[in-house]
Amino acid sequence: MAVANDQRALTAHRTATERDVGAHSAGASGSMASNMQTNDASSAVAAGKPRLNALLRRWPTALGIGVAALTLSDFDDGREFAIVLLIASIGYLLIAVLERPRATWWVLAGLLVAVVCLRLLEIPPEPDFAVFALGVIIFGLVRGSLRRLWLPALQIPATLVFGTVAFIAVAAGSQVGSTLVAVGLLAHTVWDVIHLRARAIVSPSLAEWCAVLDTLIAVGILVLVWT
């Protein structure tokens, strides 16, 4: 009788132990599955962050597209965009003289404000910008910042070439002048890319923005004028 009771007790103990082991295994499996799901979600978030960061780093491109669309919405005959070529070339020149790439966007903002003020006063900005560019060149040569090799030294001929194209375009007929502006802007795109790759003179963000802006405006002019 006692032996039978002991056997029943042993059997009950084994059954309880097996249940505990099964419950522990099920809990461990559930915990492992939960951890795997958490790791998968974390991996997806981690994988998405570089893509988001890459998109955010392209903000100059997005800004260039937006400004180009806004600029082309006020299209007349294309020659009015010669001022874009002047602002771009003089901006690079002035930043090279100042030797302050961090001031790039401030210089651009100052030039844009100057254009707006001159036009509000009904004064053509092109002649005043030409005089200003000449003064900047003289100051840069005296200061020595435009006598350094490579890109600093090339700012003077680049400004003279782009400025000459802009003035000829304004004086020329509608179709010829607008085409000259487009060609000048495409040439300045190459100039932008050179500065972007060299990471010199201007900030890379402005070089990227300017390259996109110049290209889109140039293409827009050619499409609107020749189609």
Side-chain angles (χ1 to χ4, degrees):
M1 186 75 170
V3 173
N5 289 335
D6 290 342
Q7 288 179 345
R8 283 197 295 269
L10 181 60
T11 302
H13 177 71
R14 286 178 179 175
T15 302
T17 303
E18 290 173 355
R19 288 176 181 173
D20 291 341
V21 171
H24 178 73
S25 299
S29 298
S31 177
M32 185 178 296
S34 177
N35 289 336
M36 289 179 64
Q37 290 177 351
T38 302
N39 291 336
D40 289 343
S42 300
S43 299
V45 172
K49 282 184 178 179
R51 296 175 185 174
L52 178 60
N53 292 335
L55 289 175
L56 291 176
R57 284 196 297 269
R58 295 277 73 83
W59 68 264
T61 295
L63 182 62
I65 293 171
V67 174
L70 183 63
T71 303
L72 289 170
S73 66
D74 192 29
F75 185 85
D76 184 11
D77 65 6
R79 291 178 297 173
E80 67 273 18
F81 299 127
I83 190 64
V84 176
L85 193 55
L86 279 178
I87 291 174
S89 57
I90 294 175
Y92 275 52
L93 175 70
L94 182 56
I95 297 164
V97 171
L98 296 175
E99 297 180 290
R100 297 288 180 87
R102 292 184 179 180
T104 295
W105 288 98
W106 291 107
V107 169
L108 175 64
L111 292 174
L112 291 174
V113 169
V115 171
V116 171
C117 291
L118 288 171
R119 286 183 170 171
L120 287 175
L121 295 172
E122 298 183 352
I123 300 174
E126 290 84 3
D128 289 328
F129 269 45
V131 174
F132 176 70
L134 181 60
V136 172
I137 289 173
I138 293 173
F139 178 71
L141 289 173
V142 172
R143 189 171 186 262
S145 50
L146 294 181
R147 287 188 276 118
R148 292 181 173 83
L149 296 178
W150 184 217
L151 284 176
L154 291 175
Q155 297 302 319
I156 294 176
T159 302
L160 294 176
V161 170
F162 291 127
T164 300
V165 170
F167 275 96
I168 293 175
V170 171
S174 174
Q175 198 169 48
V176 173
S178 58
T179 303
L180 279 174
V181 171
V183 172
L185 288 172
L186 289 175
H188 199 273
T189 297
V190 177
W191 193 231
D192 294 326
V193 173
I194 290 173
H195 285 76
L196 178 60
R197 291 178 65 86
R199 293 187 173 273
I201 306 296
V202 300
S203 67
S205 60
L206 183 127
E208 179 182 338
W209 172 79
C210 196
V212 174
L213 180 68
D214 291 345
T215 302
L216 293 180
I217 292 179
V219 172
I221 291 172
L222 294 174
V223 170
L224 291 171
V225 169
W226 291 96
T227 57

